[in-house]
Amino acid sequence: MSVDAINRALATVIDPELRLPLTELDMVGEVSLVGREASVQIKLTVVGCPASARIERETREAVLKVDGVDSAKVTLSVMTQTEREALKIKLRNGKPPRFNPFGKDSLTRVFLIGSGKGGVGKSSVTANIATALALNGHRVGLVDADIFGFSIPGQLGLTDRPTRVDEMILPPVSASGVKVISIGMFLEDSKPVAWRGPMLHRAIEQFLCDVFWGDLDFLLVDLPPGTGDVAISLGQLLPTAKTVVVTTPQIAAAEVAERSGSVGLQTGQPVFGVIENMSWLIQPDGSKLELFGAGGGASVAQRLADISGQRVELIGQIPMSIALREGSDAGKPIVVSNVADPAASAIMEIAKKFAAAKIGLAGKPLGISPS
Ligand SMILES: Nc1ncnc2c1ncn2[C@@H]1O[C@H](COP(=O)(O)OP(=O)(O)OP(=O)(O)O)[C@@H](O)[C@H]1O
Ligand SMILES: [Mg+2]
């Protein structure tokens, strides 16, 4: 029974936004133990930190678990500017401010998820794949780059705005642990945004550089439908990215999807694969009703393979699912809310293929030198 034991307990308390133990974030101030009464001072990063109530509660719970502690007093205060500067330098791993952590040496696997046509279920599929990867223990970030039709926060049940620590932006974290950033989180009301190329580029650059992502295994980017400015900006900012094209089985949709994939090829992003969504509806008798026809996904994959001269896989086919639609409306992805649904199993298989993807090593030094 000692102050050391209390500090060990505090190392188990994780800051919900920064996703690191309070002790590593230098958020623990004075710790004392008088008799069986513990007092702990916690220094929050910013005034009015939205996570403060949770941090206070989890700190108290952790301290009360220590042998010999009967009561725990938690005092909250705020870091000084000097302490905050030191923390920011630590969080950036010594990198300068505005550093793009997803440059060509990054170990994060980056996927740009696009479609040609709108409404093919790209955002729902992306939100679910991100969630499935997080549930499998990966560190996942998700950027909603659909500036005009952002929908990811709603699909993942996020209403929080990002906390700012000076110029550093802390992304809200979904219930399954996905760090999410969307333009929707920065708008005062839900007014439509009429931004042009340069502003879009700056917004996306900020999403990548000013947000504290920490070390990520995966970064998924939900692209706006169609092709254009956003894809070109992302191509520059995310040099290791691979594109994934979402389409429906319909041949007309497939043709548009193919065009979006081939623009990616022109801007230098290899195609990782194609996902066919809304492939069929399973009837009460178990048979598959192909509402939108068949073959769209396979045809896009084949054509993109022909154009690129590389193998392009049909990564998976996701059936129509009422539970999927309800889940995305309610902010509870189907891979959490209804794992037995065939659409959920299809998405989990797709997530496994993402997880098996190799990091693009093109242009990376091998670290060997002539002797
Ligand atoms: N497999 C599916 N079964 C049933 N409903 C689906 C399926 N996939 C998506 N949906 C529903 O279709 C609608 C459109 O999906 P979503 O918003 O994900 O598409 P999108 O391609 O991102 O659209 P946008 O082009 O507007 O960004 C949503 O209501 C969603 O819940
Ligand atoms: Mg969308």
Side-chain angles (χ1 to χ4, degrees), residues 122-123 146 151 222:
K122 178 172 45 68
S123 302
D146 193 346
S151 65
D222 182 17

Side-chain angles (χ1 to χ4, degrees), residues 11-303:
T12 65
V13 183
I14 308 293
D15 180 285
E17 292 173 310
L18 292 163
R19 299 252 132 184
L20 290 167
L22 300 188
T23 43
E24 255 175 65
L25 295 167
D26 301 325
M27 286 171 66
V28 178
E30 268 173 50
V31 176
S32 65
L33 184 65
V34 179
R36 304 174 69 85
E37 231 176 85
S39 303
V40 176
Q41 185 203 11
I42 299 294
K43 295 180 283 185
L44 301 172
T45 48
V46 283
V47 182
C49 168
S52 63
R54 176 163 165 194
I55 294 174
E56 185 178 4
R57 175 170 45 81
E58 291 181 2
T59 301
R60 178 171 308 103
E61 285 166 3
V63 173
L64 283 173
K65 277 193 205 139
V66 176
D67 259 351
V69 172
D70 286 343
S71 77
K73 184 163 160 251
V74 180
T75 330
L76 298 181
S77 64
V78 176
M79 287 184 174
T80 63
Q81 187 61 33
T82 319
E83 288 169 331
R84 195 156 48 235
E85 288 303 327
L87 173 62
K88 284 189 292 180
I89 291 172
K90 193 168 176 179
L91 290 176
R92 285 197 302 260
N93 253 330
K95 301 279 189 334
R98 312 232 60 207
F99 175 82
N100 174 4
F102 307 108
K104 63 177 172 36
D105 296 327
S106 163
L107 296 177
T108 304
R109 280 165 276 180
V110 181
F111 294 96
L112 306 181
I113 304 180
S115 63
K117 262 167 80 100
V120 298
K122 178 172 45 68
S123 302
S124 324
V125 168
T126 307
N128 271 288
I129 294 173
T131 302
L133 286 168
L135 292 174
N136 286 331
H138 299 290
R139 296 164 298 179
V140 186
L142 173 48
V143 171
D144 185 355
D146 193 346
I147 308 280
F148 305 101
F150 51 86
S151 65
I152 292 287
Q155 304 228 11
L156 291 176
L158 287 171
T159 49
D160 296 351
R161 284 177 185 263
T163 303
R164 273 175 181 274
V165 178
D166 305 328
E167 73 287 348
M168 195 181 265
I169 301 167
L170 309 186
V173 182
S174 82
S176 309
V178 180
K179 291 182 171 178
V180 181
I181 277 292
S182 164
I183 189 76
M185 296 170 177
F186 295 87
L187 302 178
E188 282 304 315
D189 41 42
S190 34
K191 271 205 205 116
V193 228
W195 285 0
R196 287 167 182 279
M199 263 183 99
L200 271 178
H201 184 88
R202 280 205 22 222
I204 289 172
E205 193 172 27
Q206 216 192 349
F207 282 1
L208 299 175
C209 304
D210 292 353
V211 170
F212 172 69
W213 294 107
D215 291 328
L216 291 183
D217 299 312
F218 293 92
L219 180 74
L220 268 47
V221 183
D222 182 17
L223 294 177
T227 52
D229 292 343
V230 173
I232 293 165
S233 292
L234 284 167
Q236 293 165 5
L237 294 164
L238 299 169
T240 67
K242 296 184 172 131
T243 52
V244 173
V245 178
V246 182
T247 187
T248 63
Q250 219 167 350
I251 295 302
E255 280 164 4
V256 189
E258 178 208 320
R259 252 173 272 148
S260 95
S262 53
V263 167
L265 286 171
Q266 283 163 33
T267 49
Q269 294 117 19
V271 180
F272 177 64
V274 177
I275 297 172
E276 188 184 86
N277 187 28
M278 312 193 185
S279 295
W280 51 74
L281 181 69
I282 299 174
Q283 302 283 93
D285 68 359
S287 63
K288 293 174 177 174
L289 176 65
E290 291 173 330
L291 273 175
F292 295 116
S299 127
V300 178
Q302 183 56 53
R303 288 204 245 172

